[in-house]
Amino acid sequence: EDQVTQSPEALRLQEGESSSLNCSYTVSGLRGLFWYRQDPGKGPEFLFTLYSAGEEKEKERLKATLTKKESFLHITAPKPEDSATYLCAVQDRDDKIIFGKGTRLHILP
Amino acid sequence: DTGVSQNPRHKITKRGQNVTFRCDPISEHNRLYWYRQTLGQGPEFLTYFQNEAQLEKSRLLSDRFSAERPKGSFSTLEIQRTEQGDSAMYLCASSSTTRRELDYGYTFGSGTRLTVV
């Protein structure tokens, strides 16, 4: 059965303190791995899609990487506005999309 | 097109009542997903449609839940005989399969928050 595990559950960083979020997955036929950002009371907002091991994508202070078993979301010099829950999801060969529980990120000014 | 629209935004209902939610996807999107999310959890897959066809339904979804997408446009999610455990945020997402849609991810609506009292 497809499974997505994210760690840590919560992370508090000082502004400017870089770190990484982890997403470990098992999936039947990976079609894509997604990263989303979710603010309280809102729907998830798309960030990245990764397709195969070794792939990397960047957007502003965020960089996502992918291996055969996990993905990392690196946050460089974060700002308070980066505070949110970051969700990882995988799409399997049947086009079902399974989400992890997310990492709650809090950036302190 | 202003994105994925969900109505109502909030719904409070008494246990045992039926409720129906609506999702209007982005007009050119032919794929539509429903998710349920509780506090502190990630979205939980419920079902998805390609055009008007319901392609998969979660094994976790009880018979009290039903979804439709007539004419492949908007979709409705109905919950019959609601229970307190149904209290959650219900999210809808849409995408196109006519291009390399995965590059653009799935666009989510703001959700419908259901409270069963």
Side-chain angles (χ1 to χ4, degrees), chain B residues 16-76:
Chain B
Q17 297 293 306
N18 299 344
V19 294
T20 300
F21 310 139
R22 177 178 171 126
C23 171
D24 288 273
I26 292 173
S27 57
E28 64 266 26
H29 284 182
N30 55 359
R31 185 164 286 179
L32 187 148
Y33 287 77
W34 282 100
Y35 287 86
R36 176 172 63 190
Q37 187 175 27
T38 54
L39 198 62
Q41 302 294 312
E44 175 190 16
F45 171 78
L46 295 179
T47 188
Y48 86 93
F49 293 83
Q50 181 149 322
N51 299 312
E52 66 275 10
Q54 187 173 17
L55 296 187
E56 186 156 350
K57 188 174 173 179
S58 170
R59 290 194 303 272
L60 303 175
L61 208 60
S62 80
D63 291 342
R64 296 184 298 106
F65 287 72
S66 63
E68 294 183 339
R69 194 182 181 198
K71 302 179 183 177
S73 56
F74 70 92
S75 177
T76 58

Side-chain angles (χ1 to χ4, degrees), chain A residues 47-93:
Chain A
L47 294 173
F48 304 108
T49 306
L50 301 168
Y51 297 100
S52 56
E55 189 174 0
E56 298 183 353
K57 287 192 177 172
E58 286 189 68
K59 180 180 179 180
E60 296 180 354
R61 296 178 291 281
L62 300 176
K63 183 169 87 171
T65 61
L66 181 65
T67 72
K68 287 187 178 180
K69 294 183 178 180
E70 57 191 351
S71 176
F72 293 94
L73 184 66
H74 307 277
I75 302 176
T76 302
K79 299 181 178 180
E81 54 262 41
D82 295 323
S83 297
T85 296
Y86 290 85
L87 296 164
C88 174
V90 296
Q91 183 166 342
D92 67 15
R93 65 163 67 98

Side-chain angles (χ1 to χ4, degrees), chain A:
Chain A
E1 186 172 316
D2 299 343
Q3 193 166 6
V4 178
T5 303
Q6 292 189 245
S7 62
E9 289 186 8
L11 182 62
R12 294 167 67 92
L13 299 172
Q14 290 294 136
E15 183 173 1
E17 182 184 358
S18 302
S19 188
S20 295
L21 313 182
N22 176 264
C23 170
S24 298
Y25 65 92
T26 55
V27 64
S28 56
L30 179 71
R31 290 200 64 212
L33 182 141
F34 306 96
W35 282 98
Y36 282 84
R37 168 192 171 127
Q38 187 173 28
D39 293 300
K42 296 188 177 181
E45 176 187 344
F46 172 73
L47 294 173
F48 304 108
T49 306
L50 301 168
Y51 297 100
S52 56
E55 189 174 0
E56 298 183 353
K57 287 192 177 172
E58 286 189 68
K59 180 180 179 180
E60 296 180 354
R61 296 178 291 281
L62 300 176
K63 183 169 87 171
T65 61
L66 181 65
T67 72
K68 287 187 178 180
K69 294 183 178 180
E70 57 191 351
S71 176
F72 293 94
L73 184 66
H74 307 277
I75 302 176
T76 302
K79 299 181 178 180
E81 54 262 41
D82 295 323
S83 297
T85 296
Y86 290 85
L87 296 164
C88 174
V90 296
Q91 183 166 342
D92 67 15
R93 65 163 67 98
D94 297 322
D95 287 333
K96 192 167 64 179
I97 302 172
I98 303 300
F99 280 82
K101 293 183 178 181
T103 293
R104 296 187 307 279
L105 178 65
H106 187 54
I107 307 300
L108 302 168

